[in-house]
Amino acid sequence: MPRWARIILALVLFVGIMLAVRAVLYATVPTFNGWLTGTFGDAGSLLLIVGFFALCGIYGLWPRDAAGRMRPPLPRRR
């Protein structure tokens, strides 16, 4: 079997397996943000989730010194 056919077969099998896993999870696991959507609506819950991930990304990607402490946003005055 040529390499391109193996790659296409692997991608098709991967997509099929992931769709099956998705179907099982959607049937058995409730949405994790169902209460949030019920309280704030679709747009509000999306905005809160994206905002939370943005804050986590800022915290995680903030520059750090050699000891691992977060650097201040502005240099100290002398």
Side-chain angles (χ1 to χ4, degrees):
M1 179 182 289
R3 184 167 194 255
W4 62 268
R6 278 192 232 158
I7 292 171
I8 291 174
L9 178 64
L11 288 174
V12 168
L13 287 174
F14 177 78
V15 168
I17 291 170
M18 289 299 113
L19 285 173
V21 168
R22 174 184 171 259
V24 169
L25 287 176
Y26 273 156
T28 58
V29 179
T31 59
F32 83 99
N33 65 340
W35 61 271
L36 190 64
T37 303
T39 305
F40 297 107
D42 287 334
S45 82
L46 180 65
L47 184 65
L48 285 172
I49 291 170
V50 169
F52 175 74
F53 283 128
L55 288 174
C56 290
I58 290 169
Y59 178 77
L61 297 174
W62 195 268
R64 302 187 184 266
D65 61 8
R69 293 184 303 258
M70 293 176 72
R71 291 186 182 161
L74 297 174
R76 294 191 173 113
R77 291 182 154 186
R78 293 184 186 221

